[in-house]
Amino acid sequence: MADKVGLVIISHSKKIGEGVYDLISQVISDVPIAIAAGTEDEEIGTNMELISKAIEDADHGKGVILLYDLGSAKMNAEMAIEFSERENIQLANHVPLVEGAYVAAVEANMGYSIEKIRKSLTKLELEDM
């Protein structure tokens, strides 16, 4: 796993985050994936500290791509990136969570660079997300 790009799945719902992870892990097992879903109290929402911890867990040296479900998750992800001392953390903006996480996991598993994965994700971008 050390030679693969990591992923962070950010969702307002713990169940959604775990569901996306479960879907991906049916076909991919060697990609570092961390979930930052819900709040510390297991309520609906996102939390910058949980996202920061997930970035640490998913970063195995090749960079990390953050994928999120709704707009306020983006704000917390941006703050986590800003406060992180790690390099090569990229936010997948305007990308549907399930499809984006699946594509990113498959390509990370193939050993693609973070730049190549981000380029593929741009093909999935939605205008109003």
Side-chain angles (χ1 to χ4, degrees):
M1 264 200 259
D3 62 342
K4 295 183 179 170
V5 172
L7 307 177
V8 173
I9 298 167
I10 305 167
S11 175
H12 281 72
S13 167
K14 184 175 180 179
K15 290 179 182 180
I16 290 174
E18 290 172 346
V20 172
Y21 177 83
D22 289 344
L23 178 68
I24 293 169
S25 52
Q26 291 296 309
V27 292
I28 304 296
S29 61
D30 292 334
V31 172
I33 301 172
I35 303 168
T39 66
E40 290 177 338
D41 299 333
E42 298 198 12
E43 297 291 327
I44 297 294
T46 60
N47 179 293
M48 188 193 80
E49 289 81 18
L50 292 177
I51 296 169
S52 295
K53 170 84 170 76
I55 290 169
E56 289 178 28
D57 293 344
D59 189 1
H60 290 221
K62 292 292 184 179
V64 180
I65 296 175
L66 282 59
L67 299 115
Y68 62 92
D69 60 0
L70 300 170
S72 61
K74 176 184 178 183
M75 180 184 69
N76 280 324
E78 288 172 337
M79 287 191 304
I81 292 169
E82 186 176 323
F83 288 107
S84 177
E85 296 179 8
R86 296 177 181 271
E87 296 182 20
N88 211 7
I89 304 168
Q90 297 190 23
L91 189 59
N93 284 312
H94 310 290
V95 175
L97 179 60
V98 176
E99 294 87 343
Y102 193 87
V103 166
V106 168
E107 292 193 358
N109 191 56
M110 295 171 68
Y112 288 7
S113 70
I114 195 167
E115 292 80 14
K116 187 166 185 171
I117 297 168
R118 284 288 298 125
K119 186 173 182 181
S120 293
L121 292 176
T122 61
K123 297 174 187 170
L124 301 175
E125 288 180 1
L126 302 173
E127 287 184 34
D128 296 327
M129 190 172 170

